[in-house]
Amino acid sequence: MAQQAEEIRDRVIRQHTQDVRHYINGRFVDADSGKSFANLNPLTQERINWVSEGGQAEIDRAVAAAQEAFQQGPWGKMKVSERLSYLYKIADIIDEHIDEIAPLESYDTGLPISQTKNMVARSAQNFRFYAEMVNSRMVGEAYQVDDEFLNYTIHKPIGVAGLITPWNAPFMLETWKIAPALATGNTVVLKPAEWSPLTANRLAELIDQAGLPEGVFNVVHGWGEKAGAALVAHPDVQLISFTGETATGSEIMKNGADTLKRVSMELGGKSPIIVFDDADLDRALDACIWGIFSFNGERCTANSRLFVHEQIAERFIQALKERLPHIVVGDPMDDRTQVGPLIHQTHYENVKRYLEIAREEGAEIVSGQVPQAYKQGNFVPPTLILNLTNDQTAAQEEIFGPVLTVMTFKEEAEVIKVANDVKYGLAGYVWTQDIQRAHRVAQAVDTGMFWINSQNVRDLRIPFGGSKASGIGREGGHYAFDFYTETQVIHVALGEHRIPQFGKKASP
Ligand code: NAD
C-alpha cells in the first residue's frame, strides 16, 4: 500500500504540479506584477510549486472579461438548453478525471485520499444537479388579481458572480458555487484559497476543455486581503458568495457595503453532538468519531462539542479513548489513512495553541499517535479535551482540527441551553431512541442544519447554511436561485382599470 501511495504521488507530481497561473478570458496568464508565492506540501513542508499572485489588475481584467461575456457575449443570449449542456459536459469531464483530481487534492491539502475521492465525485454531481434544477425548479409564479391584473415572476441572472472559497474541501466547494452561478446564467470570477491552488487550477483546465465561451469563467489566485478584497470591492461584481471564517465574512460585508454587494455567507461552526443515555451507543460512537476526525477535523459541520449524558458518560468516553490510538494517522495518499496532516504550518500552530490554552485553563488532553515517520508533517493526532466547561476557550472557539471537546449533562433542558451557548449555529446532532425528544431537541437547538441519529449525510436538494455567526442565507437546492438570480415581477393589466387623472380638467 505504501508503494501504491508513492506511485500515485509520483504521477501527481509528474502531471499536475506545474506553476499555477490565472485563468482570465479563456487563457492562462501570469500576474502583471510577475510576483508569485510558494505552495507547500503539508506532509513534508517542501515547496510543491509557485502560484502567480493576483491583485487588483488581474481582478479588473477578470471582471471585465466576465462582464463582457455576460452583456455582449453569447452566454447571456444563449438558449437555456445550450447553456446547461456546458454544465453536463463539465460534469462528464470531471468524472473522467476523478482518479487524478482526488490524489491531487490530497497531495495539496493533506486530506486523506479515501475522503477526497468521494468529494470529487460529488463535485461532478453538483454540475449535473444544477443543470437539472434549472430545468425543473427554476420556475416563476403567477398571481391573478381579480379580473384586472395578472402578475408573474421570472428569475433573471444577475451578472458577474464573485466566488470566494476556502481550502478545507476546495474542489467540492468551488464547484458547489460555480455550478449554480453558471446554470442560472451568470458569469464567474473565482478567487480560490491560497493554500490549495492545485485543484482550483485543474478545475480551470477542465472547464477550459468544456469549451465555454471566453470570459464566462475566470480564476484569479492570490491572497485574500489583496485579490479577494479587490473582487469584493469591484463595482461591476454584483454578488459575492463566500465560504470561510466568520471574521473574514464580516470583513467582506464591510468592504462590500459601498457597492451594496449581495452576499451569501457560509461561515464557521462549533457544532454540538448530544448523546442521550438511551442512544444506540455503538452507532453514536462511530458517528461522533467520524464527524470530528474525518477531513482531518477541518470540516465546517464537524461535531466538535460532544455532550454526553452522565449515565453513560464513563462508558462512552472510555470507548472514545480506546478508539483514538487505532485511528490511522499517516500519508494522505494512502488509502488506509483516516487522518492526514493539516493544510499548513500556520494552521497547525493555531490548533496546537488551542490545546495549550485548554491545558492552561485546566482541561485534560488525551491524544492518539502520530507515527515517527511523519514527524515533519503538520500532524495533530486525534485529540479529546476532557474536564472542561462550556465557557472555556476550547469549547467556544472553532479549532478546525481533529479535536473534540467532551462535556456531560443531566437534563434535556440543560443540554439545550449549553448547546446554544456559543456564537455559532451551523449544525447539530442528537442521538436518542426517544423520537419525541429527538424532535424537541432538534427544534430547540439554534442551527441551520440538524441531524437525528445520523452523521452528516446530505441530499443536494436541501438548503445548506447556518444561523447566528455561522452564516447568512441558504445555498443548495432551489434555495440557491434566490441568491444567484434576480426575481422580477411583471404586472400586466388585463383591461381598463382605473388610473388617477392628475391635472385633467373636470368635464363641464
Ligand atoms: P478564510 O476566511 O481564511 O479564507 C477563505 C477565503 O477568503 C480564501 O480564499 C481567502 O483568500 C479569502 N479571504 C481572506 N481574507 C479576505 C478578504 N479580506 N476579502 C476577501 N477574501 C478574503 O477561511 P479558511 O481558513 O480558508 O477556511 C476555513 C473556514 O471556513 C472555517 O472557519 C470553516 O468553518 C469555514 N467553512 C465554512 C463552511 C460552511 O459552509 N459554513 C464550509 C467550509 C468551510
Short mmCIF file of all heavy atoms in Angstrom, two decimals, residues 164-168 173 191-195 222-225 227-229 232 242-246 248-249 251-252 255 265-269 299-300 398 400 426 464 466 470, ligand 1:
data_model
loop_
_atom_site.label_atom_id
_atom_site.label_comp_id
_atom_site.label_asym_id
_atom_site.label_seq_id
_atom_site.Cartn_x
_atom_site.Cartn_y
_atom_site.Cartn_z
N ILE A 164 -15.72 33.20 -3.56
CA ILE A 164 -14.50 33.15 -2.73
C ILE A 164 -14.57 31.91 -1.85
O ILE A 164 -15.53 31.73 -1.09
CB ILE A 164 -14.37 34.43 -1.87
CG1 ILE A 164 -14.38 35.66 -2.78
CG2 ILE A 164 -13.09 34.38 -1.03
CD1 ILE A 164 -14.24 36.99 -2.04
N THR A 165 -13.57 31.04 -1.97
CA THR A 165 -13.68 29.71 -1.36
C THR A 165 -12.51 29.39 -0.42
O THR A 165 -11.42 29.95 -0.58
CB THR A 165 -13.76 28.65 -2.47
OG1 THR A 165 -12.72 28.92 -3.42
CG2 THR A 165 -15.10 28.66 -3.16
N PRO A 166 -12.73 28.47 0.52
CA PRO A 166 -11.68 28.09 1.48
C PRO A 166 -10.91 26.86 1.00
O PRO A 166 -11.18 26.31 -0.07
CB PRO A 166 -12.49 27.75 2.73
CG PRO A 166 -13.75 27.15 2.19
CD PRO A 166 -14.01 27.80 0.84
N TRP A 167 -9.98 26.41 1.85
CA TRP A 167 -9.09 25.32 1.45
C TRP A 167 -9.52 23.97 2.01
O TRP A 167 -8.88 22.96 1.76
CB TRP A 167 -7.66 25.61 1.95
CG TRP A 167 -7.63 26.11 3.38
CD1 TRP A 167 -7.49 27.41 3.78
CD2 TRP A 167 -7.79 25.35 4.58
NE1 TRP A 167 -7.56 27.51 5.15
CE2 TRP A 167 -7.74 26.25 5.68
CE3 TRP A 167 -7.96 23.98 4.86
CZ2 TRP A 167 -7.86 25.84 7.01
CZ3 TRP A 167 -8.08 23.56 6.18
CH2 TRP A 167 -8.02 24.50 7.23
N ASN A 168 -10.60 23.92 2.79
CA ASN A 168 -10.84 22.68 3.54
C ASN A 168 -11.53 21.58 2.73
O ASN A 168 -11.44 20.41 3.11
CB ASN A 168 -11.61 22.96 4.84
CG ASN A 168 -13.03 23.38 4.58
OD1 ASN A 168 -13.28 24.22 3.73
ND2 ASN A 168 -13.96 22.78 5.28
N LEU A 173 -16.12 22.60 -2.86
CA LEU A 173 -16.77 23.87 -2.53
C LEU A 173 -16.73 24.84 -3.70
O LEU A 173 -17.65 25.65 -3.88
CB LEU A 173 -16.12 24.48 -1.28
CG LEU A 173 -16.49 23.75 0.02
CD1 LEU A 173 -15.65 24.26 1.18
CD2 LEU A 173 -17.96 23.89 0.34
N LYS A 191 -12.12 33.28 -6.75
CA LYS A 191 -10.86 33.52 -6.02
C LYS A 191 -10.72 32.35 -5.05
O LYS A 191 -11.30 32.35 -3.97
CB LYS A 191 -10.94 34.85 -5.28
CG LYS A 191 -9.61 35.55 -5.04
CD LYS A 191 -8.55 34.73 -4.34
CE LYS A 191 -8.73 34.68 -2.85
NZ LYS A 191 -7.84 33.72 -2.18
N PRO A 192 -9.94 31.33 -5.46
CA PRO A 192 -9.81 30.16 -4.57
C PRO A 192 -8.84 30.44 -3.43
O PRO A 192 -8.11 31.43 -3.44
CB PRO A 192 -9.25 29.08 -5.51
CG PRO A 192 -8.56 29.82 -6.60
CD PRO A 192 -9.16 31.19 -6.70
N ALA A 193 -8.84 29.54 -2.45
CA ALA A 193 -7.96 29.72 -1.29
C ALA A 193 -6.49 29.60 -1.69
O ALA A 193 -6.13 28.77 -2.53
CB ALA A 193 -8.30 28.68 -0.23
N GLU A 194 -5.66 30.40 -1.07
CA GLU A 194 -4.24 30.44 -1.44
C GLU A 194 -3.48 29.18 -1.03
O GLU A 194 -2.45 28.87 -1.61
CB GLU A 194 -3.57 31.70 -0.87
CG GLU A 194 -3.87 32.03 0.59
CD GLU A 194 -5.15 32.85 0.77
OE1 GLU A 194 -6.19 32.42 0.26
OE2 GLU A 194 -5.11 33.89 1.43
N TRP A 195 -3.99 28.45 -0.02
CA TRP A 195 -3.27 27.26 0.44
C TRP A 195 -3.64 25.99 -0.36
O TRP A 195 -3.08 24.93 -0.09
CB TRP A 195 -3.57 27.00 1.93
CG TRP A 195 -2.89 27.97 2.85
CD1 TRP A 195 -1.89 28.84 2.55
CD2 TRP A 195 -3.15 28.15 4.25
NE1 TRP A 195 -1.53 29.57 3.66
CE2 TRP A 195 -2.28 29.16 4.72
CE3 TRP A 195 -4.04 27.56 5.15
CZ2 TRP A 195 -2.26 29.59 6.04
CZ3 TRP A 195 -4.03 27.99 6.48
CH2 TRP A 195 -3.15 28.99 6.92
N GLY A 222 -4.49 34.22 -5.41
CA GLY A 222 -3.83 35.28 -4.66
C GLY A 222 -4.33 35.35 -3.23
O GLY A 222 -5.22 34.60 -2.83
N TRP A 223 -3.76 36.28 -2.48
CA TRP A 223 -4.10 36.43 -1.08
C TRP A 223 -5.49 37.06 -0.93
O TRP A 223 -5.88 37.91 -1.73
CB TRP A 223 -3.06 37.30 -0.36
CG TRP A 223 -1.68 36.75 -0.49
CD1 TRP A 223 -0.67 37.27 -1.24
CD2 TRP A 223 -1.17 35.56 0.12
NE1 TRP A 223 0.44 36.48 -1.15
CE2 TRP A 223 0.17 35.42 -0.31
CE3 TRP A 223 -1.71 34.59 0.97
CZ2 TRP A 223 0.97 34.37 0.08
CZ3 TRP A 223 -0.90 33.53 1.37
CH2 TRP A 223 0.42 33.43 0.93
N GLY A 224 -6.16 36.66 0.14
CA GLY A 224 -7.50 37.18 0.38
C GLY A 224 -7.52 38.68 0.52
O GLY A 224 -8.38 39.37 -0.03
N GLU A 225 -6.54 39.22 1.26
CA GLU A 225 -6.54 40.66 1.56
C GLU A 225 -6.30 41.49 0.30
O GLU A 225 -6.59 42.69 0.29
CB GLU A 225 -5.47 41.00 2.60
CG GLU A 225 -5.65 40.32 3.95
CD GLU A 225 -5.28 38.83 3.93
OE1 GLU A 225 -4.71 38.34 2.91
OE2 GLU A 225 -5.59 38.13 4.91
N ALA A 227 -6.28 40.02 -3.61
CA ALA A 227 -7.15 39.59 -4.72
C ALA A 227 -8.61 39.48 -4.25
O ALA A 227 -9.52 39.95 -4.93
CB ALA A 227 -6.66 38.25 -5.27
N GLY A 228 -8.81 38.86 -3.08
CA GLY A 228 -10.18 38.68 -2.57
C GLY A 228 -10.83 40.03 -2.32
O GLY A 228 -11.97 40.28 -2.73
N ALA A 229 -10.08 40.92 -1.65
CA ALA A 229 -10.65 42.24 -1.31
C ALA A 229 -10.97 43.03 -2.58
O ALA A 229 -11.99 43.74 -2.64
CB ALA A 229 -9.68 43.00 -0.41
N VAL A 232 -14.22 41.80 -3.97
CA VAL A 232 -15.36 42.24 -3.14
C VAL A 232 -15.70 43.71 -3.41
O VAL A 232 -16.88 44.08 -3.47
CB VAL A 232 -15.03 42.04 -1.63
CG1 VAL A 232 -16.06 42.72 -0.75
CG2 VAL A 232 -14.94 40.55 -1.31
N PHE A 242 -19.48 33.63 -0.42
CA PHE A 242 -18.26 33.42 0.36
C PHE A 242 -18.40 32.22 1.28
O PHE A 242 -19.43 32.07 1.96
CB PHE A 242 -17.96 34.67 1.20
CG PHE A 242 -16.85 34.45 2.19
CD1 PHE A 242 -15.53 34.38 1.77
CD2 PHE A 242 -17.12 34.30 3.55
CE1 PHE A 242 -14.50 34.16 2.68
CE2 PHE A 242 -16.09 34.08 4.46
CZ PHE A 242 -14.78 34.02 4.03
N THR A 243 -17.39 31.38 1.32
CA THR A 243 -17.29 30.35 2.36
C THR A 243 -15.94 30.51 3.02
O THR A 243 -14.90 30.56 2.34
CB THR A 243 -17.42 28.93 1.76
OG1 THR A 243 -18.70 28.83 1.13
CG2 THR A 243 -17.32 27.88 2.84
N GLY A 244 -15.95 30.61 4.34
CA GLY A 244 -14.68 30.77 5.07
C GLY A 244 -14.96 31.15 6.51
O GLY A 244 -16.05 30.90 7.04
N GLU A 245 -13.98 31.77 7.12
CA GLU A 245 -14.10 32.09 8.54
C GLU A 245 -15.10 33.22 8.79
O GLU A 245 -15.24 34.12 7.96
CB GLU A 245 -12.74 32.54 9.08
CG GLU A 245 -11.82 31.39 9.35
CD GLU A 245 -10.50 31.86 9.90
OE1 GLU A 245 -10.45 32.95 10.48
OE2 GLU A 245 -9.52 31.13 9.71
N THR A 246 -15.67 33.21 9.97
CA THR A 246 -16.66 34.23 10.33
C THR A 246 -16.05 35.63 10.29
O THR A 246 -16.65 36.57 9.77
CB THR A 246 -17.22 33.90 11.73
OG1 THR A 246 -17.90 32.63 11.64
CG2 THR A 246 -18.19 34.95 12.21
N THR A 248 -13.61 36.73 8.50
CA THR A 248 -13.42 37.14 7.10
C THR A 248 -14.77 37.55 6.51
O THR A 248 -14.86 38.54 5.77
CB THR A 248 -12.82 36.00 6.26
OG1 THR A 248 -11.75 35.40 6.97
CG2 THR A 248 -12.32 36.51 4.93
N GLY A 249 -15.80 36.80 6.85
CA GLY A 249 -17.14 37.12 6.34
C GLY A 249 -17.57 38.52 6.73
O GLY A 249 -18.09 39.28 5.91
N GLU A 251 -15.61 41.01 7.52
CA GLU A 251 -14.73 41.94 6.78
C GLU A 251 -15.26 42.15 5.35
O GLU A 251 -15.32 43.27 4.84
CB GLU A 251 -13.31 41.32 6.74
CG GLU A 251 -12.24 42.08 6.01
CD GLU A 251 -11.75 43.29 6.80
OE1 GLU A 251 -12.00 43.35 8.01
OE2 GLU A 251 -11.17 44.18 6.16
N ILE A 252 -15.66 41.06 4.73
CA ILE A 252 -16.18 41.14 3.36
C ILE A 252 -17.46 41.97 3.32
O ILE A 252 -17.67 42.78 2.41
CB ILE A 252 -16.41 39.71 2.80
CG1 ILE A 252 -15.04 39.08 2.49
CG2 ILE A 252 -17.32 39.71 1.57
CD1 ILE A 252 -15.08 37.65 2.02
N ASN A 255 -16.44 45.55 3.45
CA ASN A 255 -15.82 46.02 2.21
C ASN A 255 -16.78 46.03 1.02
O ASN A 255 -16.54 46.70 0.04
CB ASN A 255 -14.60 45.16 1.87
CG ASN A 255 -13.51 45.31 2.92
OD1 ASN A 255 -13.50 46.29 3.67
ND2 ASN A 255 -12.63 44.33 3.02
N MET A 265 -23.18 34.01 2.91
CA MET A 265 -22.08 33.77 3.85
C MET A 265 -22.20 32.37 4.45
O MET A 265 -23.16 32.07 5.17
CB MET A 265 -22.15 34.79 4.99
CG MET A 265 -21.89 36.21 4.56
SD MET A 265 -20.11 36.44 4.47
CE MET A 265 -19.98 37.73 3.26
N GLU A 266 -21.24 31.51 4.12
CA GLU A 266 -21.16 30.18 4.74
C GLU A 266 -19.93 30.21 5.64
O GLU A 266 -18.80 30.18 5.15
CB GLU A 266 -20.98 29.10 3.66
CG GLU A 266 -22.06 29.09 2.59
CD GLU A 266 -23.37 28.48 3.05
OE1 GLU A 266 -23.49 28.10 4.23
OE2 GLU A 266 -24.30 28.42 2.22
N LEU A 267 -20.16 30.28 6.95
CA LEU A 267 -19.04 30.62 7.85
C LEU A 267 -18.71 29.48 8.81
O LEU A 267 -19.06 28.33 8.58
CB LEU A 267 -19.40 31.92 8.58
CG LEU A 267 -19.84 33.07 7.64
CD1 LEU A 267 -20.32 34.26 8.43
CD2 LEU A 267 -18.72 33.46 6.69
N GLY A 268 -18.06 29.83 9.90
CA GLY A 268 -17.53 28.82 10.82
C GLY A 268 -18.59 28.10 11.62
O GLY A 268 -19.77 28.45 11.60
N GLY A 269 -18.15 27.09 12.36
CA GLY A 269 -19.09 26.31 13.18
C GLY A 269 -18.44 25.78 14.44
O GLY A 269 -17.20 25.77 14.56
N ARG A 299 -13.51 20.56 9.02
CA ARG A 299 -14.84 20.43 8.42
C ARG A 299 -15.75 21.43 9.12
O ARG A 299 -15.84 21.45 10.35
CB ARG A 299 -15.34 19.01 8.65
CG ARG A 299 -16.73 18.74 8.16
CD ARG A 299 -17.29 17.53 8.85
NE ARG A 299 -16.90 16.26 8.28
CZ ARG A 299 -17.47 15.68 7.23
NH1 ARG A 299 -18.44 16.28 6.61
NH2 ARG A 299 -17.06 14.51 6.78
N CYS A 300 -16.44 22.26 8.36
CA CYS A 300 -17.26 23.31 8.98
C CYS A 300 -18.37 22.72 9.84
O CYS A 300 -18.72 23.27 10.87
CB CYS A 300 -17.84 24.25 7.93
SG CYS A 300 -18.79 23.40 6.67
N GLU A 398 -13.85 28.01 17.25
CA GLU A 398 -13.68 26.97 16.23
C GLU A 398 -12.20 26.62 16.11
O GLU A 398 -11.38 27.47 15.75
CB GLU A 398 -14.21 27.48 14.88
CG GLU A 398 -14.18 26.42 13.81
CD GLU A 398 -14.61 26.93 12.44
OE1 GLU A 398 -14.22 28.07 12.08
OE2 GLU A 398 -15.32 26.21 11.73
N PHE A 400 -11.03 23.83 14.30
CA PHE A 400 -10.89 23.39 12.91
C PHE A 400 -9.75 22.39 12.73
O PHE A 400 -8.98 22.44 11.78
CB PHE A 400 -10.67 24.60 12.00
CG PHE A 400 -11.41 24.47 10.69
CD1 PHE A 400 -12.76 24.19 10.65
CD2 PHE A 400 -10.75 24.62 9.48
CE1 PHE A 400 -13.45 24.07 9.45
CE2 PHE A 400 -11.42 24.49 8.27
CZ PHE A 400 -12.78 24.22 8.26
N LEU A 426 -24.18 26.44 13.06
CA LEU A 426 -24.17 25.80 11.73
C LEU A 426 -24.93 24.47 11.73
O LEU A 426 -25.91 24.31 11.03
CB LEU A 426 -22.72 25.60 11.25
CG LEU A 426 -22.58 25.18 9.79
CD1 LEU A 426 -23.23 26.18 8.86
CD2 LEU A 426 -21.11 25.00 9.42
N PHE A 464 -28.65 24.56 2.51
CA PHE A 464 -27.41 24.45 3.29
C PHE A 464 -27.06 25.83 3.81
O PHE A 464 -27.03 26.81 3.06
CB PHE A 464 -26.28 23.92 2.39
CG PHE A 464 -25.00 23.69 3.15
CD1 PHE A 464 -24.70 22.43 3.64
CD2 PHE A 464 -24.12 24.73 3.41
CE1 PHE A 464 -23.55 22.21 4.37
CE2 PHE A 464 -22.96 24.52 4.13
CZ PHE A 464 -22.68 23.26 4.61
N GLY A 466 -26.04 28.31 7.76
CA GLY A 466 -26.05 28.37 9.21
C GLY A 466 -26.78 29.58 9.74
O GLY A 466 -27.08 30.53 9.02
N SER A 470 -22.71 31.68 12.03
CA SER A 470 -22.31 30.67 11.04
C SER A 470 -22.76 31.00 9.63
O SER A 470 -22.44 30.25 8.70
CB SER A 470 -22.86 29.30 11.43
OG SER A 470 -22.17 28.81 12.56
P1 NAD B 1 -10.65 32.19 5.37
O1 NAD B 1 -11.78 33.04 5.79
O2 NAD B 1 -9.32 32.44 5.94
O3 NAD B 1 -10.44 32.22 3.79
C1 NAD B 1 -11.48 31.87 2.90
C2 NAD B 1 -11.26 32.61 1.58
O4 NAD B 1 -11.40 34.00 1.82
C3 NAD B 1 -9.87 32.43 0.98
O5 NAD B 1 -9.99 32.31 -0.42
C4 NAD B 1 -9.18 33.72 1.36
O6 NAD B 1 -8.15 34.06 0.48
C5 NAD B 1 -10.32 34.70 1.25
N1 NAD B 1 -10.14 35.95 2.02
C6 NAD B 1 -9.44 36.15 3.16
N2 NAD B 1 -9.50 37.44 3.53
C7 NAD B 1 -10.27 38.08 2.63
C8 NAD B 1 -10.73 39.42 2.46
N3 NAD B 1 -10.40 40.38 3.32
N4 NAD B 1 -11.50 39.71 1.39
C9 NAD B 1 -11.87 38.75 0.53
N5 NAD B 1 -11.46 37.46 0.61
C10 NAD B 1 -10.68 37.12 1.66
O7 NAD B 1 -11.13 30.68 5.66
P2 NAD B 1 -10.25 29.35 5.52
O8 NAD B 1 -9.28 29.32 6.63
O9 NAD B 1 -9.80 29.23 4.11
O10 NAD B 1 -11.37 28.23 5.74
C11 NAD B 1 -11.74 27.71 6.95
C12 NAD B 1 -13.03 28.35 7.45
O11 NAD B 1 -14.08 28.14 6.50
C13 NAD B 1 -13.54 27.74 8.74
O12 NAD B 1 -13.97 28.76 9.59
C14 NAD B 1 -14.72 26.89 8.29
O13 NAD B 1 -15.69 26.64 9.28
C15 NAD B 1 -15.25 27.70 7.17
N6 NAD B 1 -16.08 26.88 6.29
C16 NAD B 1 -17.43 27.06 6.32
C17 NAD B 1 -18.25 26.28 5.52
C18 NAD B 1 -19.74 26.47 5.52
O14 NAD B 1 -20.38 26.03 4.58
N7 NAD B 1 -20.33 27.11 6.51
C19 NAD B 1 -17.69 25.31 4.68
C20 NAD B 1 -16.30 25.15 4.69
C21 NAD B 1 -15.51 25.96 5.50
#
